Amino acid sequence: MSDISLEDIASLAKRRGFIYQGSEIYGGLAGTWDYGPLGVTLKRNIVNAWWKFFVESRDDMYGIDSAILMNPKVWIASGHVAGFTDPLIEDTKTKKRFRLDHLLEDAGVDVKGMDLAAMVAAVQEKGLKSPDGNDLANPASFNLLFQTNIGAVEDEASTVYLRGETAQGMFTNYRNIIDSFYPDVPFGVAQVGKAFRNEISPRDFIFRVREFEIAEFEYFIHPDKWEELFERWRTQMHKWCEEVLGLPADKVHELEVPPEDRAHYSKRTIDFEFDFPFGKKELYGLAYRTDFDLLNHQRDSGKNMEYRPKDGSAPFVPHVIEPTFGVDRTLMAVMCNAYTEDQIGGEKRVYLKLPKDLAPVKACVSPLLKNKPELVSKAREVYDMLKRELGAVMWDDNGNIGKRYRRQDEIGTPACVTIDFQTLEDGTVTVRNRDTAEQTRFKVEELKEHV
RNA sequence: GCGGGUGUGGUAUAACGGUUAUUAUUCCAGUUUUCCAAACUGGCGACGCGGGUUCGACUCCCGCCACCCGCACCA
């Protein structure tokens, strides 16, 4: 198989109605992408599979869907207003930008609690130069949280943030879940939804974007159990990748994130990386968030975040294990992994070897010839029946049969059902397999078990 | 944000400072076709946006936008 490029994927994604550039008719908006009919179905199938795997099939998981706009105090308590900000400073000669706090730390300055002005003062005091040896100027804070305003007046009191992660919705609802469901610890609160980050430079198609979907859960535990439960979720995440998404184990890698690279809330983090066409890049994260968030919210909200075990043992503020899954990245990994080229009848063929459960179209129904009314009407019957059964079924009578097969190959449809003259005689149809191109005859009545 | 590259129908592309912007494919309507992108006929469809130079700009210049590559960033 030849190497595939991002352009191959992006081109197919657009041509076949998976993903379009956001705001395309106005020249686009960097870091935004729109999902077309097949893309949204594929994404929804992935999300549904995730929900089933991590939420529905378990009895310790509680799903929620919290608001994207939250009281700004949430983001102050979580540390995102302060911690999600990068102070950047510019090399006056090369115009390169550097993390001001990193430069100061390298120079032996303790930057904790310093604001931008204090850091700039420290630069002057130390006579600090850029790593390239030039003068530094134009410091600026760069916060990854998008801001907007509630109400008509744009003042500080009306500033709210678009959530930079969905996790905070789980923390702010932690007490609600306990009051409604009185679960035993450990238990999890799960959510799938949009998050927003004002990335400096969006990159690599839908990989790094400013608006994206996250599926994640906060698993509330007793702190004594963190290592054991961390391992359990680590295993489950691999299982998800391999068994549900069909990603080969040798394409999914773990990266133990060193302390200096971890998020402000994390005591241990493992990144799950995938071999994308553009390199080995982060797909998922598994973080031990400790009691960082609940303690912060307890402090700032004044609400008690302790959990009281039913056996009467000592109350405690639970710690949290957080597996987090980029949905768009998952879709991209699945598409890249599914993209396959081979030869059929001497002709090159491109097809998406998608797992059946994820494929946006489950089956395509065609009459062998479209100018034979008896074939067309029989095919319509079969189509209507399958459509009722499976929903995601497509009708195609365009061109010739080979063309239709190829078209379905490109969008990853696992099965093509063809109605031919024999159908009229004995009520059997052919089912053509996407991966092998082999055809098997089945009775119409048994069809739904074979597609 | 820095540096480099690219921007022409849905996709992939050609050419040109000056007639109606090339080709393939897709798509639509038909003819044909008894299982893997067959053939034929007809049709729709494009110069990223904004300025400038010029008698005239898709083409040259400037700005912007977007995408790709390298760096930086990625709590």
Side-chain angles (χ1 to χ4, degrees), chain A residues 8-66:
Chain A
D8 292 331
I9 300 286
S11 167
L12 183 141
K14 178 164 193 205
R15 193 156 31 88
R16 292 294 169 192
F18 285 87
I19 299 164
Y20 309 113
Q21 168 80 55
S23 313
E24 189 180 349
I25 62 169
Y26 289 105
L29 179 67
T32 62
W33 298 89
D34 295 345
Y35 285 89
L38 295 182
V40 70
T41 306
L42 176 56
K43 188 169 80 161
R44 200 159 283 173
N45 290 345
I46 288 170
V47 167
N48 288 346
W50 186 89
W51 196 262
K52 192 174 166 193
F53 187 88
F54 287 107
V55 183
E56 271 177 13
S57 68
R58 309 182 55 92
D59 52 17
D60 59 350
M61 205 64 84
Y62 299 83
I64 64 165
D65 183 17
S66 68

Short mmCIF file of all heavy atoms in Angstrom, two decimals, chain A residues 8-66:
data_model
loop_
_atom_site.label_atom_id
_atom_site.label_comp_id
_atom_site.label_asym_id
_atom_site.label_seq_id
_atom_site.Cartn_x
_atom_site.Cartn_y
_atom_site.Cartn_z
N ASP A 8 -4.99 13.26 0.79
CA ASP A 8 -5.82 12.16 0.29
C ASP A 8 -7.07 12.03 1.14
O ASP A 8 -8.18 11.89 0.62
CB ASP A 8 -5.05 10.83 0.35
CG ASP A 8 -3.89 10.80 -0.64
OD1 ASP A 8 -3.98 11.48 -1.66
OD2 ASP A 8 -2.89 10.11 -0.35
N ILE A 9 -6.86 12.06 2.44
CA ILE A 9 -7.97 11.91 3.38
C ILE A 9 -8.92 13.11 3.28
O ILE A 9 -10.14 12.96 3.19
CB ILE A 9 -7.46 11.79 4.83
CG1 ILE A 9 -6.54 10.58 4.97
CG2 ILE A 9 -8.61 11.71 5.81
CD1 ILE A 9 -7.21 9.25 4.96
N ALA A 10 -8.34 14.30 3.28
CA ALA A 10 -9.16 15.52 3.24
C ALA A 10 -9.95 15.61 1.94
O ALA A 10 -11.12 16.00 1.93
CB ALA A 10 -8.28 16.75 3.42
N SER A 11 -9.30 15.23 0.85
CA SER A 11 -9.95 15.28 -0.45
C SER A 11 -11.12 14.30 -0.52
O SER A 11 -12.22 14.65 -0.95
CB SER A 11 -8.91 14.97 -1.53
OG SER A 11 -9.53 14.74 -2.76
N LEU A 12 -10.89 13.10 -0.06
CA LEU A 12 -11.96 12.11 -0.03
C LEU A 12 -13.07 12.56 0.93
O LEU A 12 -14.25 12.43 0.62
CB LEU A 12 -11.42 10.75 0.39
CG LEU A 12 -12.43 9.59 0.40
CD1 LEU A 12 -11.79 8.33 -0.12
CD2 LEU A 12 -13.02 9.32 1.77
N ALA A 13 -12.65 13.09 2.07
CA ALA A 13 -13.63 13.53 3.07
C ALA A 13 -14.55 14.59 2.49
O ALA A 13 -15.75 14.60 2.75
CB ALA A 13 -12.92 14.06 4.30
N LYS A 14 -13.99 15.46 1.68
CA LYS A 14 -14.82 16.51 1.11
C LYS A 14 -15.67 15.97 -0.05
O LYS A 14 -16.88 16.19 -0.11
CB LYS A 14 -13.94 17.65 0.59
CG LYS A 14 -14.80 18.70 -0.03
CD LYS A 14 -14.14 20.03 -0.23
CE LYS A 14 -15.22 21.03 -0.56
NZ LYS A 14 -14.74 22.17 -1.31
N ARG A 15 -15.01 15.25 -0.95
CA ARG A 15 -15.69 14.73 -2.14
C ARG A 15 -16.89 13.88 -1.78
O ARG A 15 -17.93 13.94 -2.41
CB ARG A 15 -14.65 13.91 -2.93
CG ARG A 15 -15.01 13.53 -4.30
CD ARG A 15 -13.75 13.26 -5.16
NE ARG A 15 -12.62 12.73 -4.41
CZ ARG A 15 -12.43 11.42 -4.20
NH1 ARG A 15 -13.27 10.54 -4.68
NH2 ARG A 15 -11.37 11.01 -3.52
N ARG A 16 -16.73 13.11 -0.74
CA ARG A 16 -17.78 12.16 -0.37
C ARG A 16 -18.69 12.65 0.76
O ARG A 16 -19.49 11.88 1.28
CB ARG A 16 -17.15 10.83 0.02
CG ARG A 16 -16.51 10.10 -1.14
CD ARG A 16 -17.57 9.67 -2.14
NE ARG A 16 -16.97 9.21 -3.39
CZ ARG A 16 -17.66 8.99 -4.49
NH1 ARG A 16 -18.95 9.21 -4.52
NH2 ARG A 16 -17.05 8.58 -5.57
N GLY A 17 -18.53 13.90 1.14
CA GLY A 17 -19.49 14.43 2.10
C GLY A 17 -19.25 14.05 3.55
O GLY A 17 -20.19 13.86 4.30
N PHE A 18 -17.98 13.89 3.92
CA PHE A 18 -17.67 13.64 5.33
C PHE A 18 -17.37 14.95 6.07
O PHE A 18 -17.98 15.24 7.09
CB PHE A 18 -16.46 12.70 5.47
CG PHE A 18 -16.75 11.26 5.18
CD1 PHE A 18 -16.68 10.76 3.88
CD2 PHE A 18 -17.08 10.39 6.20
CE1 PHE A 18 -16.94 9.42 3.61
CE2 PHE A 18 -17.34 9.05 5.94
CZ PHE A 18 -17.28 8.56 4.65
N ILE A 19 -16.42 15.71 5.53
CA ILE A 19 -15.96 16.90 6.23
C ILE A 19 -15.70 18.03 5.24
O ILE A 19 -15.03 17.84 4.23
CB ILE A 19 -14.65 16.60 7.01
CG1 ILE A 19 -14.90 15.51 8.05
CG2 ILE A 19 -14.11 17.86 7.68
CD1 ILE A 19 -13.63 14.87 8.58
N TYR A 20 -16.23 19.20 5.57
CA TYR A 20 -16.00 20.39 4.76
C TYR A 20 -15.29 21.46 5.58
O TYR A 20 -15.41 21.51 6.80
CB TYR A 20 -17.32 20.99 4.27
CG TYR A 20 -18.26 20.00 3.61
CD1 TYR A 20 -19.46 19.65 4.21
CD2 TYR A 20 -17.94 19.44 2.38
CE1 TYR A 20 -20.33 18.76 3.60
CE2 TYR A 20 -18.81 18.55 1.76
CZ TYR A 20 -20.00 18.21 2.37
OH TYR A 20 -20.87 17.33 1.77
N GLN A 21 -14.61 22.35 4.90
CA GLN A 21 -14.03 23.51 5.57
C GLN A 21 -15.15 24.34 6.19
O GLN A 21 -16.17 24.57 5.55
CB GLN A 21 -13.27 24.33 4.53
CG GLN A 21 -12.84 25.70 4.99
CD GLN A 21 -11.58 25.63 5.84
OE1 GLN A 21 -10.57 25.09 5.42
NE2 GLN A 21 -11.66 26.19 7.03
N GLY A 22 -14.95 24.80 7.41
CA GLY A 22 -15.96 25.64 8.05
C GLY A 22 -16.09 26.99 7.35
O GLY A 22 -15.10 27.55 6.89
N SER A 23 -17.30 27.50 7.25
CA SER A 23 -17.55 28.81 6.61
C SER A 23 -16.93 28.91 5.23
O SER A 23 -16.46 29.97 4.82
CB SER A 23 -17.00 29.96 7.46
OG SER A 23 -17.36 29.83 8.81
N GLU A 24 -16.94 27.83 4.50
CA GLU A 24 -16.17 27.75 3.26
C GLU A 24 -16.48 28.86 2.27
O GLU A 24 -15.57 29.42 1.66
CB GLU A 24 -16.39 26.39 2.61
CG GLU A 24 -15.45 26.15 1.45
CD GLU A 24 -15.67 24.81 0.79
OE1 GLU A 24 -16.40 23.97 1.35
OE2 GLU A 24 -15.13 24.61 -0.31
N ILE A 25 -17.76 29.21 2.12
CA ILE A 25 -18.10 30.20 1.08
C ILE A 25 -17.56 31.58 1.40
O ILE A 25 -17.49 32.44 0.54
CB ILE A 25 -19.62 30.29 0.83
CG1 ILE A 25 -20.37 30.75 2.08
CG2 ILE A 25 -20.16 28.97 0.33
CD1 ILE A 25 -21.83 31.10 1.82
N TYR A 26 -17.12 31.80 2.63
CA TYR A 26 -16.50 33.07 2.99
C TYR A 26 -14.99 32.95 3.14
O TYR A 26 -14.36 33.78 3.80
CB TYR A 26 -17.12 33.64 4.26
CG TYR A 26 -18.53 34.14 4.05
CD1 TYR A 26 -19.62 33.42 4.50
CD2 TYR A 26 -18.75 35.32 3.33
CE1 TYR A 26 -20.91 33.86 4.27
CE2 TYR A 26 -20.03 35.76 3.09
CZ TYR A 26 -21.11 35.03 3.56
OH TYR A 26 -22.38 35.47 3.32
N GLY A 27 -14.43 31.90 2.58
CA GLY A 27 -12.98 31.74 2.67
C GLY A 27 -12.54 30.98 3.90
O GLY A 27 -11.36 30.89 4.18
N GLY A 28 -13.50 30.47 4.66
CA GLY A 28 -13.16 29.62 5.79
C GLY A 28 -12.91 30.40 7.07
O GLY A 28 -12.90 31.63 7.08
N LEU A 29 -12.74 29.65 8.12
CA LEU A 29 -12.31 30.21 9.41
C LEU A 29 -11.34 29.18 9.99
O LEU A 29 -11.71 28.03 10.18
CB LEU A 29 -13.50 30.42 10.34
CG LEU A 29 -13.14 30.97 11.73
CD1 LEU A 29 -12.61 32.40 11.63
CD2 LEU A 29 -14.33 30.91 12.67
N ALA A 30 -10.12 29.63 10.22
CA ALA A 30 -9.07 28.70 10.61
C ALA A 30 -9.46 27.87 11.82
O ALA A 30 -9.95 28.40 12.82
CB ALA A 30 -7.78 29.46 10.89
N GLY A 31 -9.23 26.59 11.73
CA GLY A 31 -9.46 25.72 12.86
C GLY A 31 -10.91 25.33 13.07
O GLY A 31 -11.28 24.90 14.15
N THR A 32 -11.72 25.50 12.04
CA THR A 32 -13.11 25.04 12.15
C THR A 32 -13.44 24.18 10.94
O THR A 32 -13.05 24.48 9.82
CB THR A 32 -14.12 26.20 12.19
OG1 THR A 32 -14.04 26.94 10.96
CG2 THR A 32 -13.85 27.14 13.36
N TRP A 33 -14.16 23.11 11.18
CA TRP A 33 -14.54 22.18 10.12
C TRP A 33 -15.99 21.80 10.32
O TRP A 33 -16.46 21.71 11.46
CB TRP A 33 -13.65 20.94 10.13
CG TRP A 33 -12.22 21.27 9.89
CD1 TRP A 33 -11.29 21.60 10.84
CD2 TRP A 33 -11.54 21.39 8.64
NE1 TRP A 33 -10.08 21.88 10.24
CE2 TRP A 33 -10.21 21.77 8.89
CE3 TRP A 33 -11.94 21.20 7.30
CZ2 TRP A 33 -9.27 21.96 7.88
CZ3 TRP A 33 -11.00 21.38 6.31
CH2 TRP A 33 -9.68 21.76 6.59
N ASP A 34 -16.68 21.57 9.22
CA ASP A 34 -18.08 21.15 9.30
C ASP A 34 -18.19 19.69 8.87
O ASP A 34 -17.54 19.28 7.92
CB ASP A 34 -18.95 22.01 8.38
CG ASP A 34 -19.00 23.47 8.83
OD1 ASP A 34 -18.62 23.75 9.99
OD2 ASP A 34 -19.41 24.32 8.03
N TYR A 35 -19.03 18.96 9.56
CA TYR A 35 -19.27 17.57 9.18
C TYR A 35 -20.45 17.49 8.23
O TYR A 35 -21.50 18.06 8.49
CB TYR A 35 -19.55 16.71 10.41
CG TYR A 35 -18.28 16.42 11.20
CD1 TYR A 35 -17.84 17.28 12.20
CD2 TYR A 35 -17.53 15.30 10.91
CE1 TYR A 35 -16.67 17.03 12.89
CE2 TYR A 35 -16.35 15.04 11.59
CZ TYR A 35 -15.93 15.90 12.59
OH TYR A 35 -14.77 15.67 13.26
N GLY A 36 -20.25 16.78 7.11
CA GLY A 36 -21.33 16.54 6.16
C GLY A 36 -22.12 15.32 6.56
O GLY A 36 -21.86 14.71 7.61
N PRO A 37 -23.08 14.92 5.72
CA PRO A 37 -23.98 13.83 6.07
C PRO A 37 -23.28 12.53 6.48
O PRO A 37 -23.67 11.90 7.46
CB PRO A 37 -24.78 13.62 4.79
CG PRO A 37 -24.78 14.97 4.14
CD PRO A 37 -23.44 15.57 4.45
N LEU A 38 -22.25 12.13 5.74
CA LEU A 38 -21.58 10.88 6.12
C LEU A 38 -20.68 11.08 7.32
O LEU A 38 -20.55 10.20 8.18
CB LEU A 38 -20.78 10.34 4.93
CG LEU A 38 -21.63 9.91 3.73
CD1 LEU A 38 -20.74 9.35 2.64
CD2 LEU A 38 -22.68 8.90 4.13
N GLY A 39 -20.06 12.25 7.40
CA GLY A 39 -19.18 12.54 8.52
C GLY A 39 -19.92 12.58 9.84
O GLY A 39 -19.46 12.04 10.85
N VAL A 40 -21.08 13.22 9.83
CA VAL A 40 -21.82 13.33 11.09
C VAL A 40 -22.31 11.95 11.52
O VAL A 40 -22.33 11.63 12.71
CB VAL A 40 -22.99 14.34 10.99
CG1 VAL A 40 -24.11 13.84 10.12
CG2 VAL A 40 -23.51 14.66 12.38
N THR A 41 -22.65 11.13 10.55
CA THR A 41 -23.10 9.78 10.90
C THR A 41 -21.96 8.95 11.46
O THR A 41 -22.10 8.26 12.47
CB THR A 41 -23.71 9.08 9.67
OG1 THR A 41 -24.72 9.92 9.13
CG2 THR A 41 -24.33 7.75 10.05
N LEU A 42 -20.82 9.04 10.81
CA LEU A 42 -19.64 8.32 11.30
C LEU A 42 -19.29 8.78 12.72
O LEU A 42 -19.03 7.98 13.61
CB LEU A 42 -18.46 8.55 10.35
CG LEU A 42 -17.11 7.96 10.74
CD1 LEU A 42 -17.21 6.46 10.99
CD2 LEU A 42 -16.06 8.24 9.67
N LYS A 43 -19.31 10.10 12.90
CA LYS A 43 -18.97 10.64 14.22
C LYS A 43 -19.98 10.19 15.27
O LYS A 43 -19.62 9.80 16.37
CB LYS A 43 -18.90 12.18 14.17
CG LYS A 43 -18.36 12.78 15.46
CD LYS A 43 -18.03 14.25 15.32
CE LYS A 43 -19.29 15.07 15.42
NZ LYS A 43 -18.98 16.49 15.74
N ARG A 44 -21.24 10.24 14.88
CA ARG A 44 -22.29 9.83 15.81
C ARG A 44 -22.17 8.34 16.15
O ARG A 44 -22.37 7.94 17.30
CB ARG A 44 -23.66 10.13 15.19
CG ARG A 44 -24.76 10.19 16.18
CD ARG A 44 -25.94 10.96 15.63
NE ARG A 44 -25.74 12.40 15.66
CZ ARG A 44 -26.58 13.29 15.10
NH1 ARG A 44 -27.64 12.87 14.47
NH2 ARG A 44 -26.33 14.57 15.19
N ASN A 45 -21.81 7.55 15.15
CA ASN A 45 -21.62 6.12 15.41
C ASN A 45 -20.48 5.90 16.40
O ASN A 45 -20.55 5.01 17.26
CB ASN A 45 -21.34 5.37 14.11
CG ASN A 45 -22.58 5.30 13.22
OD1 ASN A 45 -23.70 5.56 13.67
ND2 ASN A 45 -22.39 4.97 11.95
N ILE A 46 -19.43 6.70 16.24
CA ILE A 46 -18.30 6.59 17.16
C ILE A 46 -18.72 6.98 18.57
O ILE A 46 -18.44 6.29 19.55
CB ILE A 46 -17.12 7.47 16.69
CG1 ILE A 46 -16.47 6.85 15.44
CG2 ILE A 46 -16.08 7.64 17.80
CD1 ILE A 46 -15.47 7.75 14.75
N VAL A 47 -19.43 8.11 18.66
CA VAL A 47 -19.86 8.59 19.97
C VAL A 47 -20.82 7.59 20.63
O VAL A 47 -20.71 7.29 21.82
CB VAL A 47 -20.52 9.98 19.85
CG1 VAL A 47 -21.26 10.34 21.13
CG2 VAL A 47 -19.47 11.04 19.53
N ASN A 48 -21.74 7.05 19.82
CA ASN A 48 -22.68 6.07 20.38
C ASN A 48 -21.96 4.81 20.86
O ASN A 48 -22.31 4.26 21.91
CB ASN A 48 -23.73 5.68 19.33
CG ASN A 48 -24.71 6.82 19.08
OD1 ASN A 48 -24.77 7.79 19.85
ND2 ASN A 48 -25.46 6.73 18.00
N ALA A 49 -20.97 4.40 20.09
CA ALA A 49 -20.19 3.22 20.50
C ALA A 49 -19.45 3.51 21.81
O ALA A 49 -19.37 2.66 22.70
CB ALA A 49 -19.21 2.82 19.41
N TRP A 50 -18.94 4.73 21.89
CA TRP A 50 -18.22 5.14 23.10
C TRP A 50 -19.16 5.12 24.30
O TRP A 50 -18.85 4.61 25.37
CB TRP A 50 -17.62 6.54 22.90
CG TRP A 50 -16.75 6.99 24.03
CD1 TRP A 50 -15.41 6.77 24.16
CD2 TRP A 50 -17.16 7.74 25.19
NE1 TRP A 50 -14.96 7.33 25.33
CE2 TRP A 50 -16.01 7.93 25.99
CE3 TRP A 50 -18.38 8.25 25.64
CZ2 TRP A 50 -16.05 8.63 27.20
CZ3 TRP A 50 -18.41 8.94 26.85
CH2 TRP A 50 -17.26 9.12 27.61
N TRP A 51 -20.32 5.71 24.09
CA TRP A 51 -21.31 5.81 25.17
C TRP A 51 -21.73 4.43 25.65
O TRP A 51 -21.87 4.16 26.84
CB TRP A 51 -22.52 6.61 24.67
CG TRP A 51 -23.42 7.11 25.75
CD1 TRP A 51 -24.58 6.52 26.17
CD2 TRP A 51 -23.25 8.29 26.55
NE1 TRP A 51 -25.14 7.28 27.18
CE2 TRP A 51 -24.35 8.36 27.43
CE3 TRP A 51 -22.27 9.30 26.60
CZ2 TRP A 51 -24.51 9.40 28.35
CZ3 TRP A 51 -22.44 10.32 27.51
CH2 TRP A 51 -23.53 10.37 28.37
N LYS A 52 -21.91 3.54 24.67
CA LYS A 52 -22.30 2.18 25.00
C LYS A 52 -21.18 1.48 25.77
O LYS A 52 -21.43 0.82 26.78
CB LYS A 52 -22.59 1.42 23.69
CG LYS A 52 -23.29 0.10 23.88
CD LYS A 52 -23.67 -0.49 22.52
CE LYS A 52 -24.04 -1.95 22.67
NZ LYS A 52 -24.12 -2.61 21.37
N PHE A 53 -19.96 1.64 25.29
CA PHE A 53 -18.81 0.95 25.87
C PHE A 53 -18.50 1.45 27.28
O PHE A 53 -18.26 0.67 28.19
CB PHE A 53 -17.59 1.15 24.96
CG PHE A 53 -16.37 0.34 25.35
CD1 PHE A 53 -16.20 -0.95 24.88
CD2 PHE A 53 -15.40 0.89 26.18
CE1 PHE A 53 -15.08 -1.70 25.22
CE2 PHE A 53 -14.27 0.14 26.53
CZ PHE A 53 -14.11 -1.15 26.06
N PHE A 54 -18.50 2.76 27.45
CA PHE A 54 -18.04 3.32 28.72
C PHE A 54 -19.17 3.71 29.68
O PHE A 54 -18.93 3.93 30.86
CB PHE A 54 -17.15 4.54 28.48
CG PHE A 54 -15.79 4.20 27.94
CD1 PHE A 54 -15.46 4.46 26.62
CD2 PHE A 54 -14.83 3.61 28.75
CE1 PHE A 54 -14.20 4.14 26.12
CE2 PHE A 54 -13.58 3.29 28.27
CZ PHE A 54 -13.26 3.55 26.95
N VAL A 55 -20.38 3.86 29.17
CA VAL A 55 -21.47 4.33 30.05
C VAL A 55 -22.57 3.27 30.17
O VAL A 55 -22.77 2.69 31.24
CB VAL A 55 -22.06 5.66 29.55
CG1 VAL A 55 -23.12 6.17 30.53
CG2 VAL A 55 -20.95 6.71 29.39
N GLU A 56 -23.25 3.00 29.06
CA GLU A 56 -24.44 2.16 29.13
C GLU A 56 -24.18 0.74 29.61
O GLU A 56 -25.00 0.16 30.31
CB GLU A 56 -25.11 2.10 27.75
CG GLU A 56 -26.12 3.21 27.55
CD GLU A 56 -26.71 3.17 26.15
OE1 GLU A 56 -26.52 2.15 25.44
OE2 GLU A 56 -27.35 4.15 25.79
N SER A 57 -23.05 0.19 29.20
CA SER A 57 -22.79 -1.20 29.54
C SER A 57 -22.29 -1.35 30.98
O SER A 57 -22.04 -2.46 31.43
CB SER A 57 -21.76 -1.80 28.57
OG SER A 57 -20.50 -1.20 28.80
N ARG A 58 -22.16 -0.24 31.68
CA ARG A 58 -21.63 -0.31 33.05
C ARG A 58 -22.71 0.15 34.04
O ARG A 58 -23.65 0.84 33.66
CB ARG A 58 -20.42 0.61 33.17
CG ARG A 58 -19.35 0.40 32.11
CD ARG A 58 -18.19 1.31 32.37
NE ARG A 58 -17.68 1.11 33.71
CZ ARG A 58 -16.71 0.26 34.03
NH1 ARG A 58 -16.13 -0.43 33.09
NH2 ARG A 58 -16.31 0.13 35.27
N ASP A 59 -22.52 -0.23 35.29
CA ASP A 59 -23.50 0.25 36.27
C ASP A 59 -22.89 1.26 37.24
O ASP A 59 -23.49 1.61 38.25
CB ASP A 59 -24.13 -0.92 37.03
CG ASP A 59 -23.09 -1.84 37.63
OD1 ASP A 59 -21.93 -1.41 37.73
OD2 ASP A 59 -23.44 -2.98 37.98
N ASP A 60 -21.66 1.71 36.93
CA ASP A 60 -21.03 2.70 37.81
C ASP A 60 -20.83 4.03 37.09
O ASP A 60 -20.04 4.85 37.50
CB ASP A 60 -19.69 2.17 38.31
CG ASP A 60 -18.72 1.86 37.17
OD1 ASP A 60 -19.17 1.88 35.99
OD2 ASP A 60 -17.54 1.61 37.44
N MET A 61 -21.56 4.22 35.97
CA MET A 61 -21.31 5.42 35.18
C MET A 61 -22.59 6.22 34.98
O MET A 61 -23.65 5.66 34.70
CB MET A 61 -20.73 4.98 33.83
CG MET A 61 -19.90 6.02 33.15
SD MET A 61 -18.40 6.46 34.05
CE MET A 61 -17.29 5.16 33.52
N TYR A 62 -22.49 7.52 35.12
CA TYR A 62 -23.64 8.41 35.02
C TYR A 62 -23.37 9.44 33.93
O TYR A 62 -22.39 10.19 34.01
CB TYR A 62 -23.92 9.09 36.36
CG TYR A 62 -24.23 8.08 37.44
CD1 TYR A 62 -23.20 7.42 38.12
CD2 TYR A 62 -25.55 7.73 37.73
CE1 TYR A 62 -23.47 6.45 39.05
CE2 TYR A 62 -25.83 6.76 38.68
CZ TYR A 62 -24.80 6.12 39.34
OH TYR A 62 -25.08 5.16 40.26
N GLY A 63 -24.25 9.46 32.93
CA GLY A 63 -24.05 10.40 31.83
C GLY A 63 -24.70 11.74 32.10
O GLY A 63 -25.77 11.80 32.72
N ILE A 64 -24.07 12.80 31.65
CA ILE A 64 -24.69 14.12 31.74
C ILE A 64 -24.43 14.89 30.45
O ILE A 64 -23.69 14.43 29.58
CB ILE A 64 -24.13 14.97 32.92
CG1 ILE A 64 -22.65 15.28 32.70
CG2 ILE A 64 -24.35 14.27 34.25
CD1 ILE A 64 -22.12 16.39 33.60
N ASP A 65 -25.06 16.03 30.34
CA ASP A 65 -24.78 16.95 29.25
C ASP A 65 -24.88 18.34 29.83
O ASP A 65 -25.98 18.87 29.99
CB ASP A 65 -25.79 16.74 28.10
CG ASP A 65 -25.48 17.63 26.91
OD1 ASP A 65 -24.35 18.15 26.82
OD2 ASP A 65 -26.38 17.81 26.07
N SER A 66 -23.75 18.92 30.17
CA SER A 66 -23.78 20.20 30.88
C SER A 66 -23.62 21.36 29.92
O SER A 66 -23.23 21.18 28.76
CB SER A 66 -22.67 20.24 31.94
OG SER A 66 -21.40 20.26 31.34
#
